[in-house]
Amino acid sequence: MTVQQTLADLVAIDSVSARSNAEIISYLEKRCQKLGLATQRFSHIDENAVEKINLVAVTASRSKAPSFPTSQDSDGAFQIELALVGHTDTVPYDPNWAEALTLTARDGKLFGRGACDTKAFIAAVLTAVESIDLTNLTKPLALVFTCDEEIGCLGAKRVADAKLFTTRYAIVGEPTSLQPMRAGKGYSLAQVTVRGREAHSAYPQLGASAIFRAARLIEKIESIAESLKQDQHSDFDPPYTTLNVGVINGGSAKNIVPGECRFTLEWRTIPGQASDRVLNLVRSAVAKLQQEDADFTCEIDAARADDSFETSTDSAVVDFLEDAARKSPGTVAFGTEAPSMITLGAEAVVFGPGDIRVAHRTGEFVPMDELNECGSILKRAIERFCMGPA
Ligand SMILES: [Zn+2]
């Protein structure tokens, strides 16, 4: 089956994160089993009572049959040489977008939801594996198809937590226009709730405005953002940890002194900086405000802290992709599944066809030439890493 037909099949299966990914997993499972790969599903029920599945498919090496150890069985963890990782879920699509689930070719581009992010990479993986005589592999290859990437890389985190295998190298699919991305910023999120005391606004002295308090805290957070520019990692654009207050809500009426104000605080940490550095700076800003106003109350709920990652420029997988794609390695500022693969021992690179700037929008597409080239690069990657002396 051609890479384009495979991509059409994948796009036709609606796999937005809110739905179960069982249908697309069944499709991938069948394709993998036809190739003689050993497959295993790792299924769970999410908080909305929807079944979510991670699928791991491995080649049988000559020396050792594949097995899937449980988390308790760390001694027997199956050692993979190369893992190719793609997420099966997509962001939602506008119901008026007629091509969302019908892959459509136009001007050398293939349009559809997930065509770019990240079903193109998965189609390239399947095509690459199908074009190889797997009996020639001397070291195990794993295909890892995850759930819930678009809502926080949740599937890959489960794979990492369960220690399903260890792997020497990982290529994590994401649209990078075939540029190998060897490092990524971390991603953290906190919900901040500042409390005050309600009162009639004609008598503000009887209350305490949560919004004025939040404003003072946010001003300090803006200074923290400024100070973070001192600490630089030159491979990133911008080369420092960035910070954003993206949503703010507070108060209930124009003539009530507001009793509560909530805002979200998000930050993207450069590698080498602790992911809780921003949180600690915000906490000391709160402590300072409490010195000026003993009544200042604020809760910080640190909802998410995804690590940054960095793979050395000397890594064989970085080197290989740099040569194969003829593009020097870069970095990404968005969250990926690479840190989870690093937890499993990998030297990890983010790589795939399509441009992240056209992902997540109506009219998402992947250029056909990049899709084809990705398939042939992945084929060579499998030959480079999984053939030769075991
Ligand atoms: Zn993606």
Side-chain angles (χ1 to χ4, degrees), residues 8-260:
D9 285 354
L10 294 172
V11 166
I13 302 171
D14 186 350
S15 60
V16 302
S17 310
R19 299 166 58 102
S20 172
N21 66 336
E23 190 182 348
I24 190 165
I25 288 290
S26 296
Y27 176 89
L28 295 169
E29 192 176 47
K30 264 186 220 134
R31 291 281 294 260
C32 289
Q33 286 170 352
K34 223 181 244 173
L35 289 162
L37 303 180
T39 61
Q40 190 145 332
R41 291 175 173 224
F42 298 90
S43 159
H44 70 280
I45 304 298
D46 76 7
E47 55 191 10
N48 300 313
V50 175
E51 186 187 25
K52 297 294 174 65
I53 305 163
N54 288 309
L55 179 74
V56 181
V58 296
T59 55
S61 76
R62 280 179 190 149
S63 53
K64 192 176 172 189
S67 63
F68 293 96
T70 63
S71 51
Q72 284 78 29
D73 188 17
S74 58
D75 285 353
F78 190 55
Q79 170 70 44
I80 300 293
E81 189 69 15
L82 175 65
L84 303 175
V85 184
H87 65 85
T88 59
D89 62 319
T90 70
V91 292
Y93 54 88
D94 181 341
N96 295 318
W97 180 21
E99 295 167 351
L101 300 179
T102 309
L103 191 72
T104 307
R106 203 161 50 239
D107 307 328
K109 299 167 184 162
L110 299 168
F111 294 82
R113 172 54 82 229
C116 166
D117 186 5
T118 268
K119 291 178 174 178
F121 179 82
I122 294 178
V125 166
L126 290 175
T127 312
V129 176
E130 280 167 359
S131 68
I132 288 174
D133 179 357
L134 294 176
T135 59
N136 289 333
L137 300 196
T138 49
K139 287 171 270 186
L141 167 75
L143 311 186
V144 183
F145 300 117
T146 60
C147 57
D148 287 349
E149 192 269 354
E150 297 290 2
I151 52 173
C153 300
L154 304 180
K157 285 176 191 168
R158 292 182 85 92
V159 171
D161 289 346
K163 297 189 174 59
L164 299 177
F165 54 82
T166 59
T167 183
R168 194 182 308 270
Y169 303 109
I171 300 176
V172 175
E174 272 295 296
T176 70
S177 303
L178 299 183
Q179 184 186 9
M181 300 300 194
R182 63 165 196 93
K185 286 184 177 178
Y187 183 85
S188 299
L189 186 66
Q191 182 76 37
V192 183
T193 307
V194 179
R195 302 210 190 276
R197 203 168 51 252
E198 286 196 339
H200 192 298
S201 63
Y203 307 99
Q205 75 279 14
L206 300 179
S209 167
I211 291 182
F212 285 155
R213 284 177 173 169
R216 290 202 291 276
L217 178 56
I218 288 170
E219 208 178 342
K220 290 209 183 302
I221 288 172
E222 196 179 0
S223 312
I224 291 170
E226 255 329 284
S227 72
L228 289 168
K229 292 181 182 171
Q230 308 281 320
D231 193 359
Q232 301 222 342
H233 189 308
S234 59
D235 290 339
F236 284 91
D237 174 28
Y240 44 81
T241 297
T242 59
L243 197 155
N244 185 45
V245 175
V247 181
I248 184 164
N249 282 301
S252 53
K254 65 181 188 300
N255 52 3
I256 297 176
V257 174
E260 191 179 277

